[in-house]
Amino acid sequence: MATTPFVVKHDGKKHNIEHFLRFHPGGTNTLAALRNVDVTNRLLATHHSAAAYELLKDYRVDEENEHKHIREDGDLESLVDWNQPMFWQVGSLGPKYKEWVLAPVDRRLRLFSSDFIESLTITSWYMVPSIWIPVMLYLIFIGYQRLRSTLPSTVDQTYFDNFSIGTWVVCSTVLGLFLWPLIEYTIHRWLFHLQPPDNSPLLITLHFGIHGLHHKVPFDDRRLLFPPGPAAVLISAAYAIYLMLFPHWMAPLVLAGMIAGYVTYDLIHFYLHYGCPREGSYLYTMKRYHNQHHFAHHESGFGISSQFWDHIFGTAIALKKLSRCLKWY
């Protein structure tokens, strides 16, 4: 069934932003009265980012057919062929890569020609808890078993009597949970946003596959969560590190807490893109915060589930006070 286009005009051209209404950082209600309105001066007055102007190009439609999207030849998207898998193309962008990857489009992205390999790069939101919660519970069981066989011989018996195995398990798991926000911040800032050199197609391709694609297609709901395969690699690396830092029995418990934090983070991230939080709620603030990271302040606002470490490291984004609430629906 055909839907009613929501057309706005910019520089004399028509743009059907119907699909963008629910994703607009300023809320759906901000745009409600702008159907068939020329927004050129409004965009200038509200200091929209370069990313916003690039995204608007993706909604341009034919003057006669408001359902037919077109894009001008010669702009950034002409650097690649969207009809071909993207993974093998981005490395050739060189010095144009950063500008291109930070110019979002409202499209579905295909990375590989192989359907099987492609399926490993996309994830539904429910897959994250379905896979990792059982792993978390198994790690808690392993830690409990190791602790039960180890603790009496390594800890003073009187102390052990007053500090039960259950308390050790809970404290170790909670430690992993509290470590997660710092891990989240560290990975997002110093790995995901590590700028690859212009003359390295390999590093450009790796950057795009790890995180760049999310900034390029932020509305592709299949690519809002970390796929299980790559996540397993990072979690395995974390376990190896924990085995060096903590006692043998404690490492799986700390990892279990970290996984709990990771699952929470990934689901929050999905909700910040597709959810409709109520004004005054924690997630309402974090949705505004994350939108600023995507569309205006790419090198700030690295916290997804928390702003705490952004404030510690001086990368926090100051959100403007608004005269009205924002609504996404």
Side-chain angles (χ1 to χ4, degrees), residues 69 104 205 224 253 268 278 285:
H69 288 266
T205 302
L224 292 178
L253 297 172
I268 286 177
R278 292 181 297 177
T285 300

Side-chain angles (χ1 to χ4, degrees), residues 25-40:
T28 311
N29 53 328
T30 302
L31 304 176
L34 298 181
R35 190 191 296 268
N36 297 321
V37 171
D38 190 318
V39 298
T40 305

